[in-house]
Amino acid sequence: MSNLEKHLITKKESDLLASEYEKTNYGAINSKRPANKPDARHFSYDLEVLQDYINLIREEMGKRGVNKKGIRVTLGKYPDNNFDPRLDPICSGYQTIFFSAENMDSAEQIESVSRTNDLEDLPQMNYGQIRPPY
């Protein structure tokens, strides 16, 4: 776990980040939604599924010569209907996050990889638990 210490934050720091988000971005998002349907704010993934995904993209990036492997977390929103039969219909219209492989070797390589579609054919991961809805 090299460099892990550089990325850890305290409970107090995480509370501050969550509070800032709630006061600003989350408030703006919910001002456009029905009062009784606040958008998703928490996303949970089964640790085994997440580890399996990390192992999959780590192996595939290794095959492609990526030295510094990363994972990108992207914000998204489920369409109001007809997205995918795996999606619980209660989640339609809510924000989500999804994961994808990221080449962290250098800024130039990241741009190059994006342009050449070198990693974009790797599977991305979604379908955790979003809260709300509960």
Side-chain angles (χ1 to χ4, degrees), residues 9-23 41:
I9 63 174
T10 65
K11 172 72 168 115
K12 184 177 178 181
E13 291 165 327
S14 69
D15 287 347
L16 176 62
L17 296 176
S19 175
E20 286 298 311
Y21 176 76
E22 188 169 346
K23 288 188 299 191
R41 188 164 165 238

Side-chain angles (χ1 to χ4, degrees), residues 103-122:
N103 182 339
M104 304 289 289
D105 285 333
S106 73
E108 292 103 22
Q109 286 181 338
I110 291 170
E111 283 300 312
S112 173
V113 166
S114 293
R115 275 190 238 113
T116 62
N117 211 21
D118 192 37
L119 296 178
E120 290 180 358
D121 64 326
L122 292 180

